[in-house]
Amino acid sequence: MLQCHNGHTLCSTCKTRVHNRCPTCRQELGDIRCLALEKVAESLELPCKYYSLGCPEIFPYYSKLKHEALCNFRPYNCPYAGSECSAVGDIPFLVAHLRDDHKVDMHSGCTFNHRYVKSNPREVENATWMLTVFNCFGQYFCLHFEAFQLGMAPVYMAFLRFMGDENEARTYSYSLEVGGYGRKLIWEGTPRSIRDSHRKVRDSHDGLIIQRNMALFFSGGDRKELKLRVTGRIWKEQNPDAGVCIPNLCS
């Protein structure tokens, strides 16, 4: 808590919003702490602001702010990568939003087999697809496939994101495979939470990356059209802490 030279108080967050001017008397604000109000704030216990979304926690004021920045019940941003979407909400809301507003394909099951076709493989702009959301093990996963420039070379990349928090994402694993003409590329990894932005995952190269020449070879070698078939599987780790991957069958 801060106060101006005339004793008017406001919180440090609001100080930047009022451009360092007291909203009551318009005097310039310094860094004078209001110790009395800080003591009052320390004695308050308040529910998390995401209480209505299911968080049961109650905290002293300053601990509450730290908790809310990491609360597992805080809303998620829309994971759609084809446009800047400002929608936020819980997972059921976002699943319906992806289906109804972005027209994303929805599938059930823990295996997939997708074919990606692009008429001009030399273009990497506006080539971002998120073709499928999977319902698997009672959870939702987003499969991304896209083209982008990696240094001077255009590449294709496929990766999976988990619609939930990072600690739960780590309990799953997935594999991706693409190939043709007696060659194949295989990727195995852990899906990233949609708490991490699409761009952050892509720029970390945490997925299956296919160089364009290899992608064209897999497509038939005529270099006129991209035709890639990406297959994959999602499984749940029996004991994530043990470091041993044991696939479970989906019902």
Side-chain angles (χ1 to χ4, degrees), residues 46-208:
L46 301 169
C48 172
K49 72 177 180 180
Y50 302 120
Y51 173 81
S52 62
L53 298 179
C55 183
E57 303 291 345
I58 297 176
F59 295 93
Y61 177 75
Y62 291 110
S63 299
K64 172 181 179 293
L65 298 179
K66 293 178 182 178
H67 161 80
E68 287 171 351
L70 300 172
C71 178
N72 288 342
F73 290 91
R74 70 192 190 279
Y76 296 88
N77 295 320
C78 173
Y80 189 73
S83 64
E84 293 295 328
C85 181
S86 60
V88 296
D90 61 13
I91 298 304
F93 167 82
L94 289 180
V95 169
H97 166 71
L98 290 169
R99 182 191 63 229
D100 299 336
D101 298 332
H102 293 299
K103 310 303 181 186
V104 171
D105 289 338
M106 301 283 176
H107 288 269
S108 295
C110 300
T111 60
F112 45 89
N113 185 339
H114 281 299
R115 190 166 178 259
Y116 298 95
V117 178
K118 186 170 174 56
S119 59
N120 186 356
R122 296 193 175 276
E123 292 182 358
V124 296
E125 299 298 325
N126 303 316
T128 297
W129 302 280
M130 185 183 73
L131 291 184
T132 308
V133 170
F134 295 96
N135 183 352
C136 174
F137 296 109
Q139 306 288 346
Y140 291 92
F141 299 82
C142 302
L143 175 65
H144 295 264
F145 182 86
E146 66 178 85
F148 65 98
Q149 202 81 17
L150 183 59
M152 297 297 293
V155 298
Y156 299 93
M157 182 175 179
F159 58 92
L160 201 70
R161 294 166 79 200
F162 174 71
M163 295 187 71
D165 278 302
E166 182 65 31
N167 58 345
E168 193 167 5
R170 287 194 295 266
T171 67
Y172 297 92
S173 295
Y174 74 101
S175 64
L176 296 172
E177 181 177 313
V178 62
Y181 300 94
R183 281 85 170 175
K184 71 172 74 171
L185 293 175
I186 299 175
W187 165 268
E188 286 194 5
T190 301
R192 297 280 287 273
S193 165
I194 59 171
R195 294 284 189 209
D196 289 338
S197 70
H198 160 268
R199 183 174 293 275
K200 179 178 179 179
V201 179
R202 188 196 74 180
D203 290 349
S204 70
H205 306 156
D206 191 4
L208 175 66

Side-chain angles (χ1 to χ4, degrees), residues 173 235-247:
S173 295
W235 66 90
K236 188 173 177 63
E237 301 291 355
Q238 185 177 38
N239 183 0
D241 296 327
V244 178
C245 299
I246 302 178

Side-chain angles (χ1 to χ4, degrees), residues 6-25:
N6 291 326
H8 303 123
T9 59
L10 77 167
C11 70
S12 57
T13 302
C14 291
K15 179 182 177 183
T16 57
R17 296 177 182 171
V18 299
H19 305 292
N20 207 35
R21 291 279 177 181
C22 175
T24 303
C25 66

